[in-house]
Amino acid sequence: MATTWLKGTVKAVPSGDSLLIMGNTKSGPPPEKTITLASIIAPKLARRDGKDESWAWESREYLRKKCIGREVTFRVDYVVPSINREFGTVLLDGQHNVAYDVVAAGWAKVRPQGSQNNEVSAGYIEELQQREEKAQTEGLGIWDKTPGAAEAAIRDLPPSAVGDGGNFDAMGFLDANKGKPLPAVVEAVRDGSALRVYLLPDFQYVQVYVAGIQAPSMGRRAPAAETQALPDTGINGEATGEQGEAAPAAVPVPLTTAQKLAAANTAANSAEVPPDPFAREAKHFAEVRVLNRDVRIVLEGVDKYNNLIGSIRYADGDVAADLALEFVKQGLARVVDWSANMMEEGGKRTLKNAELQAKKDRIRLWTNYVPPATNSTAITNVNFTGKVIEVVSGDCIVVADDALPFGSVQAERRVNLSSIRAPKMGNPKRDERPAAYAREAKEFLRTRLIGKQVNVTMEYKRTVSPTDGPSPAPVAPGADTRVMDFGSVFLLSPAKGDLVDSVPSSGSAEQPQGVNIAELVVAKGFGTVVRHREFEERSNFYDALLAAESRAQKGRKGMHSQKDTPPMHINDLSLQGTTAKARQFLPFLQRQKRLPAIVDYVLSGHRFKLLIPKETCAIAFSLSGVRCPGRGEPFADEAIAFMRRKILQRDVEIEVETVDKTGTFLGSLWEGRSNVSQALLEAGLAKLHPMFSADRTTEGHLLVQSEQVAKKQQLKVWQGYVEGQSEEVKTANEANKSKQEVLQVKVTEVLGGGKFYVQTVGDSRIVGIQNQLVSLGLTNKLPPPGTFVPKKGDTVFAQFSADNSWNRALVVNAPKAGPVTGKSEFEVFYTDYGNQETVPLSRLRPFDSSVALATPGLAQLCKLAYVKVPELDEDFGVEAAEYLSSTVGDKVLTARVIEKDTSGGKVKGQGTGPCLIVMADDGTTQLNVNAAILEAGLARVEKKGRWDTADRKTALESLEEHQESARKSRLNIWQYGDVYSDDEDVPARGGGGRGRGR
């Protein structure tokens, strides 16, 4: 009796008159049903011991191409219990009867009428017969009357297709077809990674393992114990009978004595094994994509059992999808190196990346996966543009951030190139010499990057110890460690030669305009690509780096050439104790009017270490007649920053005049056509020596003019200068001016290092803003999901976690790209109080600029004047911060502003923005905070300078008395005596700039 109509998808087409239909469920493999089209018979495909009937393959192909993968409507019309087969009607698009189409195309006959007449309608039979008669008349399909057509329609099958695959020469077949996309039809799926296919057009019937992966095993069934079945089976293992019907059930045949003995000997190995977890899902995943589908197979290799191994490509819409890659993405297979190594490097790398992502997402096989420990952390949303001012090594540079004020310490950012490693420069202090090609790698970057504009994308940071090898392991807490920041750097204006070896990135990230410096270093053979551990952060352009390394290895470039680097012998005359040798070199350096040199180190604004390649020596060099502020004096750091940006690691020219008693050469220095002394003087960062004579120095008259320009504009060291006014009068004016700026403040946040935030006492804006925030009722104004996604730098309202109060805040860091939910965390800086914390999106609200809340933040950053306090990460830094916090408490302080430091730029978070340098006093006890922290042994007095004003000298002398008390008592930082030195830096052997070579 006919059943109700059902819907399903055609999963397979076993023959020209039967379909395997699966249900449409989403959870696990769906139910399946094989439907034989009622009342028709198609030619039978070959059995293992025979041949096809005429037109059998064409008949099956017609039905396969018409129905495979399509949704159909079907019903069971009747069942023949003796053969356990269901016969029914299948409709395409809900109306086209498939049996009608098959008969009309001439690929099946109408079954002779028998017992099924009671199961199907007479109209159905009549329609089939009419279509059959028309096909006969037109000679379609099996009714083709062309002489020899029927014989030609029988496939000439090779032995492998009729059950004799033992003699198939897999290795020879691989040699003849390796790398070629072979057309094939998948006939069976053993498990997710093993397929039985017809290789067209020769119909070789072989088993192919999917290259690079291993899907879960389907296990095995236990064999029959006392009988053996001898069914009449087709190629696909399906029992068949006469005229396309299923064969009757196999007749049990008793086992022979020999067979029983063999079964007993192998019983342990033939026990039933259940399928592995997700095995059924993996098999179903493959079946719905490739079973009975046209595929392309690219053979990769042969295993020791003579099985073919290849990559399977199938049609997914208009795209050729990779079966192995789709398996790995869905977490239904593991990557196995034994077959992945047969593939090209790019394909293997793609599978590895997909498996790593599946592990991160914990999909299916990786549900309970525990990732290994890693010492790297991703950096997100940190991009900047700047100028390269120093090359530390072949894989590390220093970039001056354009967005930060000139001269500030934060502006110089040390960037290690992501995922590459150049030869180490060594450490002269440990008597380590540079590795082979280390100097060449550094020089390669120096000539291409110094002074050039670059885009930097920070990607990850890594905590490492000094003993790290090529692939550093996770570092134990408390170990001697340092944090390194890694990023991709792109040169915006590359030279023509740099474009030759650089190719567009094949990674998933979008590559900014310009040349990837890391890729260029690797392509030139001056670095190697780091082989990261799983879950270890890496460059967004990792694939491009690996491709560049492969090109360098094939081209035998740089360190891959196996050639020894030429030795370099440099006489370092900048070291202590080389004064006599420096005087011997003076005549050689004076022979030329202008001598080419490279600035290797900036010691101060006017003193440098130079490398002179022509004379193979390094010297200490000072600008003749020009002096910049010494370390600890105002504008000293700015002078150093100015010279680092202008001349560090640049090709310059010098003119040597003489050598002083310390072995330092004196003279003039030019960068391009610019006299560096003139640039320093014009910027107000230097003064001419009182005994300077314009006649002694080249272009001396220009230096005098430059100093006069800076004096008139009162720049930097000439602030407050009045022509003809004595130094005493200027000092008194400066002191009077500073005494006028006195504030009554309360400390709201202590940062450490002598830095803290304050609010001005009695500021009416504080209460006004608090009242306005309360009146807004922000707690109940949660924005609809997806409508409010703050970005880095946005002003928002944030709910402070300690007391649930709402405050104005600046977003310092936002989560990485992806869906943002109420639990997504944002780092915010409270602009009215100076504290900073991480809060979820549910505690943030959009900023309403229409109310009177758009005024600048009320928290003012301050720093104690005339003292140097250890930072938090230095010895006694935490103790100093705790002492400062306990000393100031909730007291009202009198803050006298000594100086205003604007090098922090705009407010971008905690510790940034303008800073007031203050002397702070407790208005009640008259305790001076600056002096108190010195007496506690938690700070030291700044160094005196030759150009100090009288006011500054007086203040320093007063504070030194408090410092002396702590020094004598050996308190805190003085516990080992005076271990600090205020002398100017002496260049370390092989040093570069302020940083130290790796």
Side-chain angles (χ1 to χ4, degrees):
M1 182 178 294
T3 62
T4 58
W5 290 99
L6 303 172
K7 285 187 176 182
T9 302
V10 177
K11 180 178 180 180
V13 181
S15 64
D17 56 7
S18 62
L19 303 169
L20 176 61
I21 303 174
M22 64 179 179
N24 296 326
T25 60
K26 294 183 179 180
S27 57
E32 300 174 353
K33 186 180 289 291
T34 299
I35 299 295
T36 301
L37 299 178
S39 303
I40 68 171
I41 303 173
K44 298 188 300 294
L45 291 168
R47 303 171 185 173
R48 292 187 180 277
D49 57 351
K51 294 184 177 181
D52 288 345
E53 291 184 355
S54 294
W55 311 105
W57 177 256
E58 289 78 2
S59 174
R60 201 288 291 265
E61 285 297 275
Y62 173 82
L63 188 59
R64 180 180 72 87
K65 292 179 179 179
K66 186 177 185 66
C67 297
I68 193 70
R70 295 186 64 179
E71 187 175 278
V72 296
T73 304
F74 70 97
R75 72 180 181 188
V76 177
D77 293 328
Y78 59 95
V79 178
V80 179
S82 61
I83 58 175
N84 193 27
R85 177 169 288 192
E86 296 177 316
F87 294 81
T89 303
V90 179
L91 305 180
L92 282 174
D93 302 324
Q95 54 185 352
H96 298 292
N97 191 313
V98 174
Y100 289 166
D101 294 341
V102 172
V103 173
W107 295 120
K109 300 178 181 179
V110 179
R111 186 186 299 275
Q113 302 308 300
S115 59
Q116 77 272 20
N117 285 342
N118 297 326
E119 306 295 344
V120 295
S121 67
Y124 173 73
I125 298 297
E126 183 178 349
E127 180 67 25
L128 287 177
Q129 291 173 342
Q130 289 177 359
R131 291 175 180 255
E132 182 182 49
E133 291 174 0
K134 184 178 180 181
Q136 289 177 340
T137 303
E138 296 177 359
L140 301 178
I142 62 178
W143 309 112
D144 189 348
K145 304 303 181 182
T146 304
E151 291 75 12
I154 300 174
R155 292 180 297 167
D156 184 13
L157 297 174
S160 64
V162 290
D164 185 13
N167 294 324
F168 177 69
D169 184 7
M171 184 59 70
F173 189 81
L174 173 67
D175 293 340
N177 297 281
K178 184 175 176 61
K180 300 177 183 178
L182 303 178
V185 176
V186 178
E187 292 296 310
V189 176
R190 190 196 74 180
D191 56 42
S193 54
L195 314 175
R196 297 288 290 182
V197 304
Y198 272 130
L199 296 176
L200 304 178
D202 298 329
F203 294 103
Q204 291 285 359
Y205 190 60
V206 295
Q207 181 161 270
V208 177
Y209 287 91
V210 182
I213 66 169
Q214 177 64 58
S217 171
M218 286 296 294
R220 64 171 176 263
R221 300 174 182 174
E226 295 294 332
T227 63
Q228 60 178 342
L230 298 175
D232 187 8
T233 60
I235 292 176
N236 300 325
E238 292 192 3
T240 58
E242 293 296 327
Q243 297 179 338
E245 297 182 0
V251 179
V253 178
L255 294 175
T256 64
T257 302
Q259 288 172 330
K260 290 180 180 180
L261 182 61
N265 292 336
T266 60
N269 296 327
S270 59
E272 182 174 357
V273 177
D276 291 340
F278 298 104
R280 291 187 176 91
E281 289 84 346
K283 181 179 180 182
H284 176 70
F285 184 86
E287 287 176 337
V288 298
R289 283 159 178 79
V290 299
L291 180 59
N292 282 178
R293 309 292 182 102
D294 294 304
V295 299
R296 292 289 186 273
I297 300 178
V298 179
L299 297 181
E300 309 284 2
V302 174
D303 67 9
K304 61 183 180 181
Y305 300 110
N306 216 34
N307 293 309
L308 292 173
I309 298 168
S311 300
I312 312 296
R313 304 288 194 275
Y314 66 93
D316 184 9
D318 297 330
V319 179
D322 183 347
L323 183 62
L325 180 60
E326 297 304 317
F327 259 111
V328 175
K329 284 182 178 179
Q330 298 299 322
L332 289 171
R334 293 177 168 84
V335 177
V336 287
D337 289 335
W338 69 267
S339 65
N341 290 336
M342 300 178 182
M343 305 169 61
E344 293 184 356
E345 188 63 29
K348 175 183 176 182
R349 191 161 58 245
T350 301
L351 286 181
K352 287 282 189 180
N353 292 341
E355 184 182 54
L356 178 61
Q357 188 59 49
K359 288 178 177 179
K360 288 181 178 180
D361 297 338
R362 289 183 171 82
I363 301 175
R364 294 185 176 88
L365 290 175
W366 312 111
T367 301
N368 299 318
Y369 180 76
V370 178
T374 178
N375 62 347
S376 60
T377 306
I379 300 176
T380 59
N381 299 324
V382 180
N383 307 310
F384 64 94
T385 300
K387 182 180 292 185
V388 179
I389 61 173
E390 182 181 357
V391 174
V392 180
S393 64
D395 55 8
C396 181
I397 63 176
V398 177
V399 182
D401 190 345
D402 289 343
L404 297 177
F406 173 82
S408 65
V409 177
Q410 297 88 350
E412 295 186 6
R413 308 183 67 163
R414 192 183 185 100
V415 181
N416 296 278
L417 301 180
S418 294
S419 297
I420 74 166
R421 181 172 286 109
K424 291 186 177 181
M425 288 298 298
N427 191 332
K429 293 184 177 180
R430 294 198 293 264
D431 200 25
E432 293 176 357
R433 295 185 177 182
Y437 288 97
R439 288 194 181 98
E440 288 78 2
K442 180 179 178 180
E443 181 65 11
F444 173 76
L445 282 190
R446 186 191 74 83
T447 56
R448 281 157 175 77
L449 294 185
I450 287 297
K452 298 292 183 64
Q453 203 74 9
V454 294
N455 279 338
V456 181
T457 301
M458 301 306 299
E459 293 168 326
Y460 62 94
K461 58 184 176 182
R462 198 175 70 204
T463 304
V464 297
S465 66
T467 58
D468 274 337
S471 186
V475 180
D480 182 15
T481 63
R482 59 194 175 103
V483 177
M484 302 172 64
D485 293 335
F486 292 80
S488 291
V489 180
F490 296 88
L491 179 60
L492 300 181
S493 56
K496 291 184 179 180
D498 295 340
L499 297 174
V500 173
D501 292 301
S502 182
V503 298
S505 170
S506 59
S508 58
E510 181 180 353
Q511 179 163 331
Q513 185 178 4
V515 172
N516 187 339
I517 295 303
E519 185 180 350
L520 187 58
V521 170
V522 174
K524 294 292 185 180
F526 292 129
T528 57
V529 180
V530 177
R531 265 54 183 182
H532 292 282
R533 291 183 174 90
E534 283 190 352
F535 283 81
E536 194 171 58
E537 299 295 335
R538 62 196 66 194
S539 169
N540 294 333
F541 310 95
Y542 193 69
D543 289 351
L545 296 179
L546 291 172
E549 183 180 48
S550 178
R551 296 197 306 274
Q553 290 172 343
K554 291 179 182 178
R556 296 184 178 276
K557 295 185 178 181
M559 57 196 301
H560 306 295
S561 65
Q562 299 180 346
K563 295 180 181 179
D564 294 332
T565 57
M568 180 179 291
H569 302 288
I570 299 293
N571 288 312
D572 195 344
L573 307 179
S574 66
L575 302 176
Q576 293 181 350
T578 59
T579 303
K581 198 171 185 178
R583 291 174 179 169
Q584 295 174 4
F585 263 76
L586 180 61
F588 299 101
L589 301 182
Q590 288 179 324
R591 281 186 301 191
Q592 299 187 64
K593 199 65 177 174
R594 290 196 180 185
L595 187 65
I598 299 171
V599 180
D600 192 45
Y601 200 103
V602 175
L603 299 169
S604 68
H606 63 270
R607 190 165 178 264
F608 325 105
K609 178 182 177 182
L610 303 181
L611 178 65
I612 306 177
K614 185 176 182 180
E615 301 295 340
T616 63
C617 67
I619 65 172
F621 183 85
S622 184
L623 299 176
S624 179
V626 177
R627 289 295 176 268
C628 294
R631 291 189 183 273
E633 297 180 8
F635 306 109
D637 289 341
E638 193 168 341
I640 293 174
F642 179 84
M643 297 309 292
R644 281 172 60 82
R645 290 201 186 194
K646 187 168 182 62
I647 66 170
L648 179 60
Q649 295 189 336
R650 305 284 185 97
D651 292 309
V652 298
E653 291 183 323
I654 61 172
E655 184 176 307
V656 177
E657 298 174 6
T658 186
V659 63
D660 65 13
K661 60 182 180 180
T662 65
T664 299
F665 292 88
L666 305 177
S668 301
L669 185 149
W670 291 267
E671 194 274 321
R673 296 183 178 181
S674 172
N675 187 316
V676 172
S677 298
Q678 187 178 356
L680 269 174
L681 291 167
E682 287 180 350
L685 293 171
K687 293 182 179 181
L688 290 175
H689 194 278
M691 304 300 293
F692 173 76
S693 173
D695 298 332
R696 284 188 54 190
T697 305
T698 302
E699 301 179 353
H701 65 289
L702 297 177
L703 303 186
V704 175
Q705 293 176 8
S706 298
E707 185 182 53
Q708 290 299 323
V709 171
K711 284 181 178 180
K712 290 179 181 179
Q713 298 179 5
Q714 298 186 3
L715 298 177
K716 309 298 182 183
V717 299
W718 300 109
Q719 286 181 2
Y721 173 79
V722 178
E723 187 70 31
Q725 191 179 61
S726 65
E727 287 293 325
E728 290 76 10
V729 174
K730 287 187 290 183
T731 299
N733 291 339
E734 292 172 0
N736 291 334
K737 182 179 178 181
S738 63
K739 290 178 181 178
Q740 295 174 359
E741 299 183 71
V742 179
L743 304 173
Q744 300 296 315
V745 299
K746 292 187 71 173
V747 176
T748 59
E749 182 78 4
V750 173
L751 304 186
K755 285 187 176 182
F756 49 92
Y757 278 95
V758 300
Q759 283 183 346
T760 304
V761 175
D763 191 341
S764 60
R765 294 178 298 172
I766 298 175
V767 177
I769 289 175
Q770 289 175 343
N771 292 337
Q772 288 186 61
L773 288 169
V774 172
S775 66
L776 291 176
L778 296 172
T779 304
N780 300 321
K781 292 185 177 180
L782 187 65
T787 61
F788 173 52
V789 183
K791 298 179 182 178
K792 182 179 179 180
D794 288 352
T795 302
V796 297
F797 293 131
Q799 191 176 32
F800 187 43
S801 60
D803 59 6
N804 293 328
S805 63
W806 288 94
N807 302 274
R808 299 188 299 170
L810 180 73
V811 177
V812 177
N813 278 314
K816 63 175 67 175
V820 176
T821 66
K823 296 183 179 180
S824 299
E825 294 187 333
F826 294 76
E827 189 174 6
V828 297
F829 168 66
Y830 296 102
T831 56
D832 293 328
Y833 295 92
N835 47 355
Q836 191 162 304
E837 69 170 347
T838 300
V839 297
L841 179 62
S842 59
R843 284 180 171 262
L844 299 180
R845 298 291 185 270
F847 187 75
D848 186 356
S849 58
S850 62
V851 297
L853 298 173
T855 57
L858 303 181
Q860 173 61 58
L861 180 63
C862 295
K863 181 181 179 182
L864 296 177
Y866 305 132
V867 297
K868 290 186 177 180
V869 185
E871 299 292 340
L872 287 175
D873 57 351
E874 298 175 344
D875 290 341
F876 297 102
V878 175
E879 290 84 348
E882 291 175 348
Y883 178 84
L884 180 61
S885 181
S886 63
T887 300
V888 298
D890 293 330
K891 300 175 181 178
V892 176
L893 302 179
T894 300
R896 181 163 55 90
V897 180
I898 305 301
E899 183 184 346
K900 187 174 183 180
D901 182 7
T902 60
S903 62
K906 295 181 179 180
V907 177
K908 293 187 176 181
Q910 198 173 60
T912 63
C915 179
L916 300 181
I917 313 300
V918 300
M919 292 288 286
D921 298 294
D922 182 350
T924 303
T925 64
Q926 304 303 316
L927 172 70
N928 181 269
V929 177
N930 306 57
I933 199 169
L934 288 169
E935 286 188 351
L938 294 170
R940 61 191 180 102
V941 180
E942 290 182 345
K943 178 187 172 185
K944 291 182 181 179
R946 64 174 69 91
W947 295 337
D948 282 346
T949 63
D951 186 53
R952 175 179 168 84
K953 289 179 180 177
T954 301
L956 291 175
E957 290 173 358
S958 174
L959 291 174
E960 283 176 347
E961 297 177 4
H962 299 278
Q963 175 179 276
E964 190 63 24
S965 173
R967 192 202 306 262
K968 289 180 179 179
S969 302
R970 297 289 181 92
L971 295 178
N972 295 320
I973 65 174
W974 308 109
Q975 60 180 321
Y976 300 115
D978 188 357
V979 297
Y980 298 95
S981 174
D982 290 327
D983 295 337
E984 281 193 331
D985 287 353
V986 175
R989 293 166 58 192
R994 280 170 142 176
R996 188 171 60 198
R998 294 174 64 186

